[in-house]
Amino acid sequence: MPTTPATAANSSSNGTGEAILLELVDEHGRTIGTAEKLSAHQAPGQLHRAFSVFLFDEQGRLLLQQRALGKYHSPGVWSNTCCGHPYPGEAPFAAAARRTFEELGVSPSLLAEAGTVRYNHPDPDSGLVEQEFNHLFVGMVQAPLRPDPSEVGETAYVTAEELAVRHAQGPFSAWFMTVLDAARPAIRELTGPSAGW
């Protein structure tokens, strides 16, 4: 993956062990400062920039990931293809592409903006709060996955019907349905009406 000034300054592999910073935003998504990642998620939460990615295969199936059990926030639950936070000064599109590669070992063959959504989702298990201004992206994946086991427990490609069954059985991330519903218009445009999204 290419290195940008934002990623180079914030990379956890730069040997400094510095805290990861997130971009704090106002209700309109304008940057107003930064905060350390964990503190931004402690109740009541600080509104910060995030992204969510939904990738599909050529059959119109959605790629889900199960978050690794070692993650500090929402471990072991199923969620969308990839989600995370841009570094301060990093474009959400670049962050989405970067994290998709870091977590799943694949670069999307297509990635397009799909709007934004603002939400506030407490996680009852950890007590952490997702207070996010989330940039949505939809796209295609055509290469074999190489998931990072420290990030991803399992992956699955599902149809809309299969997702409904899986979601009823749970567990899924607290934010999953909010971001999926917000991205549906772009998902339908990408996958076509026959896919059922």
PDB file of all heavy atoms in Angstrom, residues 113-139:
ATOM      1  N   GLU A 113     -17.567   6.104  -3.336  1.00  0.00           N
ATOM      2  CA  GLU A 113     -18.224   6.746  -2.199  1.00  0.00           C
ATOM      3  C   GLU A 113     -19.722   6.467  -2.231  1.00  0.00           C
ATOM      4  O   GLU A 113     -20.331   6.411  -3.304  1.00  0.00           O
ATOM      5  CB  GLU A 113     -17.965   8.247  -2.226  1.00  0.00           C
ATOM      6  CG  GLU A 113     -16.505   8.604  -2.013  1.00  0.00           C
ATOM      7  CD  GLU A 113     -16.257  10.098  -1.974  1.00  0.00           C
ATOM      8  OE1 GLU A 113     -17.237  10.869  -1.923  1.00  0.00           O
ATOM      9  OE2 GLU A 113     -15.077  10.494  -1.988  1.00  0.00           O
ATOM     10  N   ALA A 114     -20.309   6.307  -1.042  1.00  0.00           N
ATOM     11  CA  ALA A 114     -21.734   5.975  -0.944  1.00  0.00           C
ATOM     12  C   ALA A 114     -22.432   6.823   0.117  1.00  0.00           C
ATOM     13  O   ALA A 114     -23.413   6.390   0.714  1.00  0.00           O
ATOM     14  CB  ALA A 114     -21.892   4.488  -0.642  1.00  0.00           C
ATOM     15  N   GLY A 115     -21.922   8.033   0.366  1.00  0.00           N
ATOM     16  CA  GLY A 115     -22.572   8.934   1.311  1.00  0.00           C
ATOM     17  C   GLY A 115     -21.976   8.847   2.703  1.00  0.00           C
ATOM     18  O   GLY A 115     -20.926   8.237   2.919  1.00  0.00           O
ATOM     19  N   THR A 116     -22.671   9.464   3.655  1.00  0.00           N
ATOM     20  CA  THR A 116     -22.250   9.463   5.054  1.00  0.00           C
ATOM     21  C   THR A 116     -23.457   9.178   5.942  1.00  0.00           C
ATOM     22  O   THR A 116     -24.613   9.354   5.524  1.00  0.00           O
ATOM     23  CB  THR A 116     -21.636  10.814   5.481  1.00  0.00           C
ATOM     24  OG1 THR A 116     -22.616  11.842   5.301  1.00  0.00           O
ATOM     25  CG2 THR A 116     -20.375  11.135   4.680  1.00  0.00           C
ATOM     26  N   VAL A 117     -23.176   8.755   7.154  1.00  0.00           N
ATOM     27  CA  VAL A 117     -24.232   8.548   8.140  1.00  0.00           C
ATOM     28  C   VAL A 117     -23.652   8.884   9.520  1.00  0.00           C
ATOM     29  O   VAL A 117     -22.495   8.611   9.798  1.00  0.00           O
ATOM     30  CB  VAL A 117     -24.793   7.102   8.095  1.00  0.00           C
ATOM     31  CG1 VAL A 117     -23.725   6.077   8.451  1.00  0.00           C
ATOM     32  CG2 VAL A 117     -26.006   6.948   9.005  1.00  0.00           C
ATOM     33  N   ARG A 118     -24.470   9.491  10.355  1.00  0.00           N
ATOM     34  CA  ARG A 118     -24.086   9.875  11.713  1.00  0.00           C
ATOM     35  C   ARG A 118     -24.853   9.000  12.683  1.00  0.00           C
ATOM     36  O   ARG A 118     -26.061   8.818  12.551  1.00  0.00           O
ATOM     37  CB  ARG A 118     -24.426  11.362  11.906  1.00  0.00           C
ATOM     38  CG  ARG A 118     -24.650  11.826  13.342  1.00  0.00           C
ATOM     39  CD  ARG A 118     -23.352  11.910  14.108  1.00  0.00           C
ATOM     40  NE  ARG A 118     -23.475  12.749  15.285  1.00  0.00           N
ATOM     41  CZ  ARG A 118     -23.631  12.291  16.520  1.00  0.00           C
ATOM     42  NH1 ARG A 118     -23.765  10.992  16.761  1.00  0.00           N
ATOM     43  NH2 ARG A 118     -23.663  13.127  17.551  1.00  0.00           N
ATOM     44  N   TYR A 119     -24.166   8.406  13.659  1.00  0.00           N
ATOM     45  CA  TYR A 119     -24.860   7.566  14.629  1.00  0.00           C
ATOM     46  C   TYR A 119     -24.162   7.584  15.984  1.00  0.00           C
ATOM     47  O   TYR A 119     -23.021   8.023  16.116  1.00  0.00           O
ATOM     48  CB  TYR A 119     -25.002   6.125  14.129  1.00  0.00           C
ATOM     49  CG  TYR A 119     -23.701   5.475  13.716  1.00  0.00           C
ATOM     50  CD1 TYR A 119     -22.803   4.973  14.639  1.00  0.00           C
ATOM     51  CD2 TYR A 119     -23.389   5.354  12.359  1.00  0.00           C
ATOM     52  CE1 TYR A 119     -21.622   4.380  14.248  1.00  0.00           C
ATOM     53  CE2 TYR A 119     -22.211   4.755  11.959  1.00  0.00           C
ATOM     54  CZ  TYR A 119     -21.333   4.270  12.922  1.00  0.00           C
ATOM     55  OH  TYR A 119     -20.163   3.678  12.523  1.00  0.00           O
ATOM     56  N   ASN A 120     -24.889   7.048  16.963  1.00  0.00           N
ATOM     57  CA  ASN A 120     -24.407   6.926  18.336  1.00  0.00           C
ATOM     58  C   ASN A 120     -24.838   5.548  18.825  1.00  0.00           C
ATOM     59  O   ASN A 120     -26.004   5.337  19.139  1.00  0.00           O
ATOM     60  CB  ASN A 120     -25.005   8.036  19.194  1.00  0.00           C
ATOM     61  CG  ASN A 120     -24.556   7.955  20.651  1.00  0.00           C
ATOM     62  OD1 ASN A 120     -23.820   7.055  21.041  1.00  0.00           O
ATOM     63  ND2 ASN A 120     -25.025   8.890  21.452  1.00  0.00           N
ATOM     64  N   HIS A 121     -23.899   4.592  18.851  1.00  0.00           N
ATOM     65  CA  HIS A 121     -24.214   3.218  19.239  1.00  0.00           C
ATOM     66  C   HIS A 121     -23.345   2.782  20.420  1.00  0.00           C
ATOM     67  O   HIS A 121     -22.164   2.505  20.246  1.00  0.00           O
ATOM     68  CB  HIS A 121     -23.979   2.252  18.073  1.00  0.00           C
ATOM     69  CG  HIS A 121     -25.020   2.314  17.013  1.00  0.00           C
ATOM     70  ND1 HIS A 121     -26.355   2.072  17.250  1.00  0.00           N
ATOM     71  CD2 HIS A 121     -24.926   2.591  15.693  1.00  0.00           C
ATOM     72  CE1 HIS A 121     -27.034   2.203  16.130  1.00  0.00           C
ATOM     73  NE2 HIS A 121     -26.193   2.525  15.171  1.00  0.00           N
ATOM     74  N   PRO A 122     -23.917   2.693  21.623  1.00  0.00           N
ATOM     75  CA  PRO A 122     -23.182   2.130  22.759  1.00  0.00           C
ATOM     76  C   PRO A 122     -23.024   0.610  22.578  1.00  0.00           C
ATOM     77  O   PRO A 122     -23.908  -0.046  22.026  1.00  0.00           O
ATOM     78  CB  PRO A 122     -24.076   2.432  23.959  1.00  0.00           C
ATOM     79  CG  PRO A 122     -25.097   3.410  23.482  1.00  0.00           C
ATOM     80  CD  PRO A 122     -25.235   3.193  22.014  1.00  0.00           C
ATOM     81  N   ASP A 123     -21.912   0.068  23.032  1.00  0.00           N
ATOM     82  CA  ASP A 123     -21.687  -1.376  23.045  1.00  0.00           C
ATOM     83  C   ASP A 123     -21.911  -1.853  24.476  1.00  0.00           C
ATOM     84  O   ASP A 123     -21.112  -1.558  25.364  1.00  0.00           O
ATOM     85  CB  ASP A 123     -20.260  -1.700  22.584  1.00  0.00           C
ATOM     86  CG  ASP A 123     -19.950  -3.189  22.698  1.00  0.00           C
ATOM     87  OD1 ASP A 123     -20.896  -4.002  22.605  1.00  0.00           O
ATOM     88  OD2 ASP A 123     -18.776  -3.541  22.900  1.00  0.00           O
ATOM     89  N   PRO A 124     -23.009  -2.589  24.724  1.00  0.00           N
ATOM     90  CA  PRO A 124     -23.333  -2.965  26.106  1.00  0.00           C
ATOM     91  C   PRO A 124     -22.284  -3.862  26.750  1.00  0.00           C
ATOM     92  O   PRO A 124     -22.111  -3.836  27.967  1.00  0.00           O
ATOM     93  CB  PRO A 124     -24.682  -3.690  25.977  1.00  0.00           C
ATOM     94  CG  PRO A 124     -24.813  -4.047  24.535  1.00  0.00           C
ATOM     95  CD  PRO A 124     -24.017  -3.055  23.763  1.00  0.00           C
ATOM     96  N   ASP A 125     -21.558  -4.639  25.969  1.00  0.00           N
ATOM     97  CA  ASP A 125     -20.577  -5.559  26.548  1.00  0.00           C
ATOM     98  C   ASP A 125     -19.332  -4.838  27.052  1.00  0.00           C
ATOM     99  O   ASP A 125     -18.837  -5.117  28.143  1.00  0.00           O
ATOM    100  CB  ASP A 125     -20.183  -6.630  25.530  1.00  0.00           C
ATOM    101  CG  ASP A 125     -21.344  -7.564  25.194  1.00  0.00           C
ATOM    102  OD1 ASP A 125     -22.192  -7.796  26.082  1.00  0.00           O
ATOM    103  OD2 ASP A 125     -21.420  -8.035  24.051  1.00  0.00           O
ATOM    104  N   SER A 126     -18.811  -3.912  26.248  1.00  0.00           N
ATOM    105  CA  SER A 126     -17.565  -3.231  26.621  1.00  0.00           C
ATOM    106  C   SER A 126     -17.789  -1.896  27.321  1.00  0.00           C
ATOM    107  O   SER A 126     -16.889  -1.375  27.976  1.00  0.00           O
ATOM    108  CB  SER A 126     -16.711  -2.991  25.372  1.00  0.00           C
ATOM    109  OG  SER A 126     -17.346  -2.035  24.524  1.00  0.00           O
ATOM    110  N   GLY A 127     -18.984  -1.312  27.153  1.00  0.00           N
ATOM    111  CA  GLY A 127     -19.246   0.019  27.675  1.00  0.00           C
ATOM    112  C   GLY A 127     -18.716   1.128  26.787  1.00  0.00           C
ATOM    113  O   GLY A 127     -18.885   2.306  27.085  1.00  0.00           O
ATOM    114  N   LEU A 128     -18.078   0.754  25.665  1.00  0.00           N
ATOM    115  CA  LEU A 128     -17.569   1.755  24.728  1.00  0.00           C
ATOM    116  C   LEU A 128     -18.701   2.269  23.848  1.00  0.00           C
ATOM    117  O   LEU A 128     -19.746   1.630  23.710  1.00  0.00           O
ATOM    118  CB  LEU A 128     -16.455   1.145  23.867  1.00  0.00           C
ATOM    119  CG  LEU A 128     -15.232   0.652  24.654  1.00  0.00           C
ATOM    120  CD1 LEU A 128     -14.260  -0.063  23.730  1.00  0.00           C
ATOM    121  CD2 LEU A 128     -14.546   1.808  25.366  1.00  0.00           C
ATOM    122  N   VAL A 129     -18.488   3.444  23.252  1.00  0.00           N
ATOM    123  CA  VAL A 129     -19.533   4.095  22.468  1.00  0.00           C
ATOM    124  C   VAL A 129     -18.989   4.439  21.079  1.00  0.00           C
ATOM    125  O   VAL A 129     -17.913   5.022  20.956  1.00  0.00           O
ATOM    126  CB  VAL A 129     -20.022   5.393  23.153  1.00  0.00           C
ATOM    127  CG1 VAL A 129     -21.061   6.100  22.287  1.00  0.00           C
ATOM    128  CG2 VAL A 129     -20.595   5.076  24.519  1.00  0.00           C
ATOM    129  N   GLU A 130     -19.757   4.062  20.056  1.00  0.00           N
ATOM    130  CA  GLU A 130     -19.440   4.459  18.679  1.00  0.00           C
ATOM    131  C   GLU A 130     -20.220   5.730  18.368  1.00  0.00           C
ATOM    132  O   GLU A 130     -21.406   5.673  18.049  1.00  0.00           O
ATOM    133  CB  GLU A 130     -19.810   3.350  17.684  1.00  0.00           C
ATOM    134  CG  GLU A 130     -18.913   2.142  17.752  1.00  0.00           C
ATOM    135  CD  GLU A 130     -17.512   2.400  17.233  1.00  0.00           C
ATOM    136  OE1 GLU A 130     -17.198   3.542  16.857  1.00  0.00           O
ATOM    137  OE2 GLU A 130     -16.714   1.448  17.211  1.00  0.00           O
ATOM    138  N   GLN A 131     -19.574   6.857  18.522  1.00  0.00           N
ATOM    139  CA  GLN A 131     -20.162   8.171  18.240  1.00  0.00           C
ATOM    140  C   GLN A 131     -19.460   8.648  16.965  1.00  0.00           C
ATOM    141  O   GLN A 131     -18.393   9.254  17.020  1.00  0.00           O
ATOM    142  CB  GLN A 131     -19.870   9.082  19.429  1.00  0.00           C
ATOM    143  CG  GLN A 131     -20.468  10.466  19.364  1.00  0.00           C
ATOM    144  CD  GLN A 131     -21.850  10.563  19.946  1.00  0.00           C
ATOM    145  OE1 GLN A 131     -22.785  10.724  19.181  1.00  0.00           O
ATOM    146  NE2 GLN A 131     -21.991  10.488  21.250  1.00  0.00           N
ATOM    147  N   GLU A 132     -20.057   8.322  15.798  1.00  0.00           N
ATOM    148  CA  GLU A 132     -19.294   8.446  14.563  1.00  0.00           C
ATOM    149  C   GLU A 132     -20.017   9.204  13.451  1.00  0.00           C
ATOM    150  O   GLU A 132     -21.237   9.124  13.309  1.00  0.00           O
ATOM    151  CB  GLU A 132     -18.902   7.056  14.041  1.00  0.00           C
ATOM    152  CG  GLU A 132     -17.951   6.351  14.989  1.00  0.00           C
ATOM    153  CD  GLU A 132     -17.414   5.039  14.468  1.00  0.00           C
ATOM    154  OE1 GLU A 132     -18.113   4.364  13.697  1.00  0.00           O
ATOM    155  OE2 GLU A 132     -16.282   4.686  14.838  1.00  0.00           O
ATOM    156  N   PHE A 133     -19.200   9.909  12.679  1.00  0.00           N
ATOM    157  CA  PHE A 133     -19.590  10.486  11.397  1.00  0.00           C
ATOM    158  C   PHE A 133     -18.915   9.589  10.371  1.00  0.00           C
ATOM    159  O   PHE A 133     -17.719   9.673  10.143  1.00  0.00           O
ATOM    160  CB  PHE A 133     -19.101  11.930  11.289  1.00  0.00           C
ATOM    161  CG  PHE A 133     -19.618  12.661  10.088  1.00  0.00           C
ATOM    162  CD1 PHE A 133     -20.761  13.432  10.173  1.00  0.00           C
ATOM    163  CD2 PHE A 133     -18.968  12.576   8.865  1.00  0.00           C
ATOM    164  CE1 PHE A 133     -21.247  14.120   9.068  1.00  0.00           C
ATOM    165  CE2 PHE A 133     -19.437  13.255   7.755  1.00  0.00           C
ATOM    166  CZ  PHE A 133     -20.588  14.028   7.860  1.00  0.00           C
ATOM    167  N   ASN A 134     -19.709   8.698   9.778  1.00  0.00           N
ATOM    168  CA  ASN A 134     -19.168   7.571   9.024  1.00  0.00           C
ATOM    169  C   ASN A 134     -19.291   7.782   7.513  1.00  0.00           C
ATOM    170  O   ASN A 134     -20.385   8.021   7.005  1.00  0.00           O
ATOM    171  CB  ASN A 134     -19.925   6.311   9.452  1.00  0.00           C
ATOM    172  CG  ASN A 134     -19.216   5.038   9.057  1.00  0.00           C
ATOM    173  OD1 ASN A 134     -18.911   4.832   7.898  1.00  0.00           O
ATOM    174  ND2 ASN A 134     -18.984   4.178  10.032  1.00  0.00           N
ATOM    175  N   HIS A 135     -18.154   7.664   6.825  1.00  0.00           N
ATOM    176  CA  HIS A 135     -18.106   7.740   5.369  1.00  0.00           C
ATOM    177  C   HIS A 135     -18.276   6.331   4.805  1.00  0.00           C
ATOM    178  O   HIS A 135     -17.535   5.417   5.196  1.00  0.00           O
ATOM    179  CB  HIS A 135     -16.765   8.321   4.912  1.00  0.00           C
ATOM    180  CG  HIS A 135     -16.544   9.724   5.369  1.00  0.00           C
ATOM    181  ND1 HIS A 135     -16.668  10.810   4.538  1.00  0.00           N
ATOM    182  CD2 HIS A 135     -16.208  10.221   6.597  1.00  0.00           C
ATOM    183  CE1 HIS A 135     -16.420  11.918   5.223  1.00  0.00           C
ATOM    184  NE2 HIS A 135     -16.136  11.592   6.470  1.00  0.00           N
ATOM    185  N   LEU A 136     -19.228   6.157   3.908  1.00  0.00           N
ATOM    186  CA  LEU A 136     -19.573   4.840   3.379  1.00  0.00           C
ATOM    187  C   LEU A 136     -18.952   4.626   2.002  1.00  0.00           C
ATOM    188  O   LEU A 136     -18.910   5.548   1.183  1.00  0.00           O
ATOM    189  CB  LEU A 136     -21.092   4.706   3.278  1.00  0.00           C
ATOM    190  CG  LEU A 136     -21.864   5.018   4.568  1.00  0.00           C
ATOM    191  CD1 LEU A 136     -23.359   5.072   4.283  1.00  0.00           C
ATOM    192  CD2 LEU A 136     -21.548   4.006   5.656  1.00  0.00           C
ATOM    193  N   PHE A 137     -18.513   3.385   1.753  1.00  0.00           N
ATOM    194  CA  PHE A 137     -17.927   3.014   0.468  1.00  0.00           C
ATOM    195  C   PHE A 137     -18.452   1.649   0.045  1.00  0.00           C
ATOM    196  O   PHE A 137     -18.610   0.751   0.882  1.00  0.00           O
ATOM    197  CB  PHE A 137     -16.400   2.964   0.567  1.00  0.00           C
ATOM    198  CG  PHE A 137     -15.786   4.285   0.922  1.00  0.00           C
ATOM    199  CD1 PHE A 137     -15.533   4.611   2.247  1.00  0.00           C
ATOM    200  CD2 PHE A 137     -15.495   5.217  -0.061  1.00  0.00           C
ATOM    201  CE1 PHE A 137     -14.986   5.841   2.588  1.00  0.00           C
ATOM    202  CE2 PHE A 137     -14.952   6.460   0.272  1.00  0.00           C
ATOM    203  CZ  PHE A 137     -14.703   6.759   1.596  1.00  0.00           C
ATOM    204  N   VAL A 138     -18.737   1.518  -1.240  1.00  0.00           N
ATOM    205  CA  VAL A 138     -19.140   0.228  -1.798  1.00  0.00           C
ATOM    206  C   VAL A 138     -18.193  -0.110  -2.945  1.00  0.00           C
ATOM    207  O   VAL A 138     -17.617   0.787  -3.580  1.00  0.00           O
ATOM    208  CB  VAL A 138     -20.602   0.227  -2.294  1.00  0.00           C
ATOM    209  CG1 VAL A 138     -21.559   0.556  -1.155  1.00  0.00           C
ATOM    210  CG2 VAL A 138     -20.799   1.193  -3.447  1.00  0.00           C
ATOM    211  N   GLY A 139     -18.034  -1.407  -3.193  1.00  0.00           N
ATOM    212  CA  GLY A 139     -17.124  -1.790  -4.266  1.00  0.00           C
ATOM    213  C   GLY A 139     -17.144  -3.270  -4.533  1.00  0.00           C
ATOM    214  O   GLY A 139     -18.001  -4.010  -4.038  1.00  0.00           O
TER     215      GLY A 139
END
